[in-house]
Every structure is written in structure tokens, then in C-alpha cells.
Amino acid sequence: MELETILAIAVPIALIALILAYSIRIVKEYEKGVIFRLGRVVGARGPGLFFIIPVVEQMVKVNLQVVTMDIPPQDVITRDNVTIRVNAVTYFRVEEPINAIVNVQNYGYATQQVAQTTLRNIVGRTSLDDLLTEREQVNAELQQIIDQQTNPWGVKVTIVELKDVELPESMRRAMASQAEAERDRRARVIHALGEQEAAAKLTEAAAELERHPAAMQLRLLGTMSDVAAEKNSTLIFPLPVEMLRFFESMTPPSAEAR
């Protein structure tokens, strides 16, 4: 009798525990639980604690966090027939958990494939110069196209960024030579502009000195003073004819002249 009594009590308790184990569901804050009742979607629940009907209802959890996904490197021919190797990174999250479960088998893998093929198409119709200089525009175009294709799956693509653009070694050398030639050209232009400005200033200075002979003499004396500062220099001091005549006029007449 005691054994039968224990079994009579234990069996219902075990059944109740088993039913509760299959019916209690806990969904975390960053998740949603998509409920299927006899194969049909009845809604999404969570986060928190709730109950489902065992056997009749089933739940599939969907993560709503932002997912970071790498787009594998791939060789692409650009519009100007340059073979490059590019890879990228995509950030996306699920906004409609029911669509993410019902409309696509594996939304993560599907998003990766769409991103990979879209990257190939966009890079293939873009020139190398635009790809290197207009990267923000290429990223925006990638994000817009991928987001449009994943929208029926309830997936929102927020960011797509090109990570690396690997160029062939011959192209790297050609670009380095081009950059060096461009720097040399700019240096020559800057030097020529400097010479032109210096010549213009010297022309103005010469014209100003020509109008003022005294300033010319002062400039000459200043130059001679600078040259005389060198100990190993021999200085030849030219006297203008006007100065000699001035000294001659200041000299008193000699006795013979009287």
C-alpha cells in the first residue's frame, strides 16, 4: 500500500513537472519568441516569462542584437579592367522576427550571400580611382541595395564598410610612380611661381632705386658692410664720379694755382 500510495502521488507530480518544463518559456531582453500553433504563426512574444501549450505550440527564438558579419575577400575586375581583391563588413539586425523565420530559411547566411554578390556588382561597375577616393559613396550604395533586398526578410542592414582594397604589385608600382611624378610637378610649379614673384619684386626694387640715387648708394654701402664682415675677403670700394667732384670742390686752391 505504501508503494502504491507513493506512486500515486509521484506520477501526477512528475507529469505536472514535465508539462511545466515544456510549457514555461523564458525569453531574454534582446530576443523574441515566434510562436507556432499547429504549424501556423500566432505571433511573437517576449521578453520575459510566458507559457505555451505543450505539443500544440512551439517557439523559435530570434536574436534582435546587431550582428557583425564579414564579407569574404574576393577578386573583382573594376570598370577600368583592374583586378583587385576586396572585402567588407556588414552590420545588420532583425526588425521583424516573424518575417525572419517565415520568409527565409537562414536569414544570416542569406544576408551574407546578398552582401557578397552586391559587393561584386558594385565594385565591378566602379572605376579604381572612384573606389579609392569615393569610398563613402560606395559604402552608402552598398548599404542601400543590400537593405532593399533583405527588407522582405525583416532584416535591417545599417552599415556596410569596405575594409581592404588589395592592388596588384604592378599597379602599386605604377601608382607610386604617378604620385612621385605629381609631387615633382608640384615642386617645379611652386619653384617657378617663387621665381616669378621674386623677379617681380626685384623689378619693383630696381625701379624704386633708380628713382632715388641716394637709396642706391645706401644699398651699396650696406652690401659692402656685409662683405667686409668676412675676414678673408678683399674689398674694392668704388667711388662714384659725383663724390670725387664733391671732394674736389671742397679742396682749397694750391699756392701754385695762385
Side-chain angles (χ1 to χ4, degrees), residues 14-41:
L15 289 176
I16 294 174
L18 186 61
I19 292 173
L20 290 176
Y22 278 98
S23 61
I24 294 177
R25 291 292 184 268
I26 298 176
V27 176
K28 297 179 181 180
E29 184 68 29
Y30 55 85
E31 295 177 333
K32 280 286 187 180
V34 179
I35 307 300
F36 291 86
R37 181 177 299 163
L38 298 177
R40 298 177 63 88
V41 177

Side-chain angles (χ1 to χ4, degrees), residues 1 10 14 28 32 65 91 110 115 126 133 140 142 148 172 228 242 252:
M1 291 295 295
K28 297 179 181 180
K32 280 286 187 180
Q65 292 177 308
Y91 298 86
T126 305
T133 59
L142 283 170
Q148 288 178 354
R172 293 181 183 179
E242 289 79 2

Side-chain angles (χ1 to χ4, degrees), residues 71-79 83-88 112-126 131 138 142 146 162:
I71 302 176
Q74 50 189 322
D75 295 328
V76 184
I77 300 177
T78 62
R79 188 179 64 183
T83 301
I84 60 176
R85 189 173 181 85
V86 295
N87 63 344
Q112 183 184 34
Q113 295 302 307
V114 168
Q116 188 170 350
T117 55
T118 304
L119 175 63
R120 181 183 296 272
N121 294 335
I122 295 299
V123 174
R125 67 189 190 195
T126 305
L131 189 64
V138 175
L142 283 170
I146 298 174
L162 291 175

